[in-house]
Amino acid sequence: MGNQVLSFGEVLWDAFGDGKKAGGAPMNVARHLVQQGVKTTFASSVGMDNSGDALIGFLKSNDLYSDLIQQDDEFPTCEVTVQLDETNTATYIIPQPVSWDNIQPSTALTKAAQAARAIVFGSLACRTVTTRETLLNLLDETPALKVFDVNLRPPHYTLSTIETLVARADVVKMNEEEANLLIGGSSASLRDQIGEFRSKYHSQTICVTRGEHGALVWHDHEFYDSPGCPVKVADTVGAGDAFLATFVSGLLSGKPMQQVVDKACSVGSYVASQRGANPVYPPELLNSLAYL
């Protein structure tokens, strides 16, 4: 049986004031999928340096290391500076170029994409031509469900690249701010904005996360609204990734969409209540995810 999910893109160190944690949205999504018992592979690149060796160690300890993790002798491993504001909302200073700007095509990568039921990818790693072309060729070679995690990190994107990726996606996930940017800052309601987005891009499923206010999802010609689970926020790093992982897991399982959205919001809220993107799930959260 093939891989259920292939997650493609950046892996990096998130450097906080008091230390650093492994991160990168596609890696975070993969990590949460593994915690939820979903068979997952992860494709990225690290540098041939101490930071890269440490990331490989992390990936091995979390069942995410394979021959899909390339090592680059030209570009360094990525270390991102994370800054938290007074509400513990994160902003990021991302260096360039780094190893995952140079993900190369390979036979192993093509086989993994062809075996996957879903492939998850984001916009950040597509800021350079090399990685972007590797991904676009993969998407052309796989029948998998294509899940695009919009991850707008100025100045690391162009509208033309985002439009190219959206056009290839079956599922598009973004936050409210990203929805406003992509739809042109429309003053219409979020439901009307989603309708406008769908009429332009013809996406099969559209998820818009709203932080503490939950999420609104359009799927199979219906809207699904979840009010969210307010928590005391430790930081917002990885909360959207946890939401997406849980959503993809639920979507692949064919469970009722309202249940899937509610559970995705619940897991995203838990991660927001913890420091860093990849907290270990407590037993009660794992039990609540047993249906996935």
Side-chain angles (χ1 to χ4, degrees):
M1 181 177 178
N3 304 315
Q4 233 182 329
V5 180
L6 168 64
S7 190
F8 175 99
E10 66 271 14
V11 63
L12 49 87
W13 289 110
D14 281 323
F16 297 85
D18 58 354
K20 63 184 185 180
K21 293 180 179 291
M27 193 283 290
N28 294 338
V29 172
R31 177 71 188 95
H32 286 287
L33 284 165
V34 168
Q35 284 209 77
Q36 295 178 22
V38 178
K39 184 175 173 59
T40 304
T41 50
F42 175 55
S44 189
S45 179
V46 300
M48 289 186 175
D49 47 34
N50 290 337
S51 289
D53 291 342
L55 275 179
I56 287 174
F58 174 87
L59 294 173
K60 286 180 176 178
S61 67
N62 286 279
D63 298 322
L64 288 175
Y65 182 75
S66 71
D67 57 357
L68 304 185
I69 304 300
Q70 301 174 11
Q71 283 194 275
D72 196 295
D73 60 2
E74 182 179 0
F75 299 121
T77 301
C78 182
E79 295 200 19
V80 170
T81 301
V82 182
Q83 299 175 326
L84 302 177
D85 65 15
E86 62 278 2
T87 65
N88 288 318
T89 297
T91 56
Y92 307 87
I93 300 174
I94 306 169
Q96 186 177 358
V98 294
S99 52
W100 45 258
D101 287 315
N102 194 37
I103 300 175
Q104 299 288 328
S106 70
T107 300
L109 194 50
T110 298
K111 287 182 177 178
Q114 291 173 340
R117 288 186 62 200
I119 178 168
V120 177
F121 57 94
S123 48
L124 180 56
C126 292
R127 65 184 180 177
T128 60
V129 173
T130 301
T131 298
R132 183 167 66 247
E133 288 301 316
T134 296
L135 173 65
L136 293 177
N137 289 333
L138 274 187
L139 296 180
D140 287 341
E141 294 168 349
T142 177
L145 185 76
K146 298 166 181 68
V147 182
F148 176 32
D149 181 15
V150 179
N151 195 11
L152 303 185
R153 298 283 183 252
H156 303 286
Y157 70 92
T158 64
L159 185 57
S160 62
T161 295
I162 300 302
E163 289 178 335
T164 297
L165 296 172
V166 170
R168 302 291 186 99
D170 303 305
V171 179
V172 179
K173 176 259 176 188
M174 53 192 155
N175 62 34
E176 231 172 341
E177 182 180 357
E178 290 162 343
N180 286 332
L181 284 169
L182 293 182
I183 304 169
S186 170
S187 60
S189 71
L190 183 56
R191 289 186 180 225
D192 288 341
Q193 285 181 300
I194 290 174
E196 186 178 338
F197 186 88
R198 185 184 174 276
S199 67
K200 183 176 182 180
Y201 295 108
H202 309 290
S203 304
Q204 177 179 316
T205 303
I206 301 167
C207 309
V208 180
T209 57
R210 304 175 298 194
E212 65 180 2
H213 303 296
L216 182 63
V217 172
W218 187 91
H219 175 75
D220 197 21
H221 306 287
E222 289 188 40
F223 280 103
Y224 299 86
D225 196 342
S226 180
C229 311
V231 294
K232 182 178 180 181
V233 175
D235 67 54
T236 60
V237 180
D241 306 326
F243 173 95
L244 181 58
T246 311
F247 185 85
V248 169
S249 180
L251 191 62
L252 292 177
S253 73
K255 297 299 181 181
M257 182 52 60
Q258 187 63 57
Q259 190 178 15
V260 170
V261 179
D262 289 342
K263 201 62 72 172
C265 287
S266 174
V267 177
S269 294
Y270 169 74
V271 172
S273 75
Q274 305 296 306
R275 190 70 184 274
N278 296 293
V280 175
Y281 294 178
E284 59 270 21
L285 185 59
L286 279 175
N287 290 339
S288 76
L289 291 170
Y291 82 97
L292 297 173

